[in-house]
Amino acid sequence: MQLTTQLRYQAEPAAVWAMLTDQAFHEEVCKATGATSWTAEVVPTADGGATITTRRTLPTDEFPDFVKSFVGSTIDVVRTDVWQAARADGNRSGTTVVEIKGAPVRLDGTMQLTTEGGTTVHDVDGQLKASIPLLGGKVEKAVEPPIRSAISREQQVGGRWLTR
């Protein structure tokens, strides 16, 4: 299943990049998504990029019962974003992988961080795949809304973060 989304921030790319590479921001996002426990790690690369990894335990309240029967009352989600160095125009590209541990569900995607005037746009384009025979498509449709909800909460946290 294709999953495409766009987060918009009313800030210049440098401010958004500073936010995205701040461990405290990712901890705030984990809290906002309802995680009961989490870790966040930001590792800058020598060329000016970064690898950002969050691990969180989330309740499955938003999932339909048939999905809960596979995964239980909580899921462990690992998200790894790998950002490249900024190009000459200040824009960046990267990749994202979101895995639900203990379930064969994974999102693989690309990301772009670009500027439009005084706004920074964070585009995500990915493939959500549930490798479950006969039920994969149904599971993908069931987990897409909670993923979109988490993305929306991340944008809300980011909007507040940037106006501090």
Side-chain angles (χ1 to χ4, degrees), residues 44-59:
T45 59
D47 66 357
T51 298
I52 303 154
T53 305
T54 59
R55 291 174 174 81
R56 59 190 106 175
T57 300
L58 295 162

Side-chain angles (χ1 to χ4, degrees), residues 1 3 60 62-64 66-68 70-71 75 77 98 100 103-107 128-130 132 135-151:
M1 162 182 273
L3 190 137
T60 56
E62 295 182 48
F63 291 166
F66 86 92
V67 174
K68 289 181 197 176
F70 286 109
V71 297
I75 55 171
V77 178
V98 179
I100 299 177
V105 179
R106 179 181 170 110
L107 172 71
L128 179 62
K129 181 75 176 152
I132 302 171
L135 294 175
K138 191 172 181 180
V139 170
E140 291 165 8
K141 287 178 184 171
V143 299
E144 184 213 8
I147 290 173
R148 287 196 181 277
S149 177
I151 292 167

Side-chain angles (χ1 to χ4, degrees), residues 120-138:
T120 300
V121 179
H122 179 178
D123 287 304
V124 180
D125 183 24
Q127 243 350 84
L128 179 62
K129 181 75 176 152
S131 301
I132 302 171
L134 304 174
L135 294 175
K138 191 172 181 180

Side-chain angles (χ1 to χ4, degrees), residues 24-47:
F25 166 73
H26 293 284
E27 291 171 350
E28 191 69 29
V29 170
C30 288
K31 281 190 252 185
T33 59
T36 57
S37 64
W38 63 85
T39 62
E41 180 181 40
V42 177
V43 179
T45 59
D47 66 357

